[in-house]
Amino acid sequence: MTSPIKALFLGRRVGEPHRAFYGNQFGLTVPLFAHYGVELWVPEIGGPIDPDIEAHELVMSVFGGMSKGERNRIKLRVRTAMAAQTFLEDRYLGGRSPYGYTLRDLGPRPNPAKAADCKHLKGLTPDEQTAPIVRQILAEFLAGIGLFAIAEELTASHVPCPSAHDRARNRHRSGIAWSKNAVRVILTNPRYTGRQVWNKQRTDEVLLDVDDVAMGHTGVMRWNPRDKWVVSKDITHEPLIDDETFEQAQAILQRRGRGTGGQHVRQPHPQPVRLPGHDLLRRLRPTHAGPVQPWRRLLPLPLPAGIRPRQPS
């Protein structure tokens, strides 16, 4: 019976082996081709790869290392260029505009090739509808009002939350009401001070399965500490708040353990309280009644017939 892979093609030719395989991908792929009898042709080898020849495997492993090194160099150059554009050129690097701002056209790009392709630079400008809401949130928070109270007040005043204000890009969100997290994001966003900020998050490659390394890696977004952020040295757009107001808000959040920079202070969770009568109930309970339900372990005494406590959701 012909294998499904060999029915599609008898062999595969690789034009650039240092771009076809990354890291140890060759060692994970070639056994599959060998199992189904499909040849893998590489110009640098001068013909098909023979899995039994040690030199072939060594050469392809070198190409895998070259591919990994090239990827790392490209990533380093791109990140260095983006950091320089943010810090020195005050460049807006794309992405969603924060709540309270909208994008405006700044003219053609300085790169002639991109300018000829009708690509323009973008910048932030205050939004007439949402910019006053941002100032209101900062003022109320500094006045001592909590995050939940601010969110409830905005919802009661029928102020659209960020996802409801921009439904085109937030179709996956309900947009029903304001949440504490939405208020906190506004309070901790330094772009409201008029400066561009980059590198607030990073992508770490972690194993898909620590018990099966061959499955590879996946990208996970994580927050960088605040000292790793790249902030423009000059003001690039109209600020909604000043630096002093922003720092006051960060100081209050830090005291509450919810400051910027992704450093969340875990709050201790209270332990379940063993109410009086728990041990007596255990001794009086028949042994044949089955396992004790978790919600019953905290009851002091059996409840009357027909009355059942509400189970936790």
Side-chain angles (χ1 to χ4, degrees):
M1 181 178 179
T2 305
S3 65
I5 294 182
K6 196 167 184 178
L8 297 176
F9 44 78
L10 298 178
R12 299 292 293 174
R13 181 177 63 86
V14 178
E16 296 179 292
H18 59 284
R19 297 180 183 273
F21 299 102
Y22 171 84
N24 63 339
Q25 288 180 350
F26 173 79
L28 300 174
T29 306
V30 168
L32 183 64
F33 285 108
H35 175 77
Y36 289 106
V38 178
E39 294 182 342
L40 184 64
W41 289 68
V42 178
E44 284 74 5
I45 300 296
I49 291 179
D50 188 350
D52 297 329
I53 299 179
E54 192 174 313
H56 289 186
E57 184 176 358
L58 180 61
V59 171
M60 296 305 297
S61 299
V62 172
F63 283 130
M66 293 172 57
S67 175
K68 186 175 182 179
E70 181 181 6
R71 178 176 179 269
N72 291 336
R73 287 192 298 272
I74 293 175
K75 182 168 61 174
L76 178 62
R77 288 198 297 265
V78 170
R79 292 182 61 86
T80 304
M82 295 180 70
Q85 289 179 347
T86 302
F87 182 73
L88 300 176
E89 302 180 12
D90 308 327
R91 181 79 64 85
Y92 173 72
L93 299 180
R96 294 188 175 189
S97 57
Y99 180 81
Y101 284 103
T102 185
L103 294 178
R104 61 187 178 95
D105 193 352
L106 298 180
R109 286 180 172 269
N111 189 326
K114 294 185 177 181
D117 198 22
C118 300
K119 294 182 179 179
H120 288 198
L121 293 174
K122 300 294 183 180
L124 297 177
T125 185
D127 184 32
E128 296 181 356
Q129 297 180 354
T130 57
I133 305 300
V134 175
R135 298 189 181 98
Q136 175 185 343
I137 291 175
L138 265 297
E140 292 182 353
F141 182 74
L142 294 180
I145 304 179
L147 304 182
F148 186 72
I150 295 176
E152 280 194 329
E153 178 187 353
L154 293 174
T155 302
S157 302
H158 304 287
V159 177
C161 63
S163 57
H165 175 71
D166 189 0
R167 294 302 300 163
R169 295 186 302 181
N170 295 278
R171 297 176 181 175
H172 60 291
R173 301 180 184 274
S174 62
I176 298 177
W178 282 81
S179 64
K180 292 193 301 182
N181 186 59
V183 177
R184 183 183 295 110
V185 169
I186 292 176
L187 293 173
T188 57
N189 194 344
R191 301 176 78 179
Y192 292 122
T193 62
R195 292 177 173 83
Q196 289 293 352
V197 183
W198 179 74
N199 200 37
K200 294 176 64 177
Q201 289 181 304
R202 68 183 187 276
T203 302
D204 292 340
E205 294 185 352
V206 299
L207 290 172
L208 283 171
D209 188 354
V210 295
D211 297 325
D212 188 2
V213 183
M215 292 184 63
H217 297 74
T218 183
V220 177
M221 297 293 296
R222 291 172 176 167
W223 288 98
N224 283 326
R226 193 174 180 182
D227 57 353
K228 298 293 184 181
W229 296 0
V230 180
V231 183
S232 61
K233 60 180 181 180
D234 299 325
I235 293 180
T236 61
H237 50 269
E238 182 180 346
L240 299 184
I241 58 175
D242 54 26
D243 293 335
E244 183 180 356
T245 302
F246 179 76
E247 293 300 333
Q248 290 177 2
Q250 305 317 301
I252 297 176
L253 289 172
Q254 286 287 354
R255 290 196 297 268
R256 298 181 181 181
R258 276 289 193 174
T260 58
Q263 304 299 324
H264 171 51
V265 178
R266 290 184 175 272
Q267 302 295 334
H269 294 279
Q271 298 296 327
V273 179
R274 297 175 63 91
L275 300 177
H278 172 78
D279 296 331
L280 176 62
L281 174 62
R282 177 180 292 274
R283 289 195 299 267
L284 295 178
R285 191 173 180 275
T287 57
H288 57 80
V292 179
Q293 297 296 330
W295 55 270
R296 278 191 180 274
R297 293 174 181 172
L298 301 181
L299 294 179
L301 291 173
L303 294 176
I307 300 178
R308 184 180 181 87
R310 184 181 61 181
Q311 301 186 23
S313 56

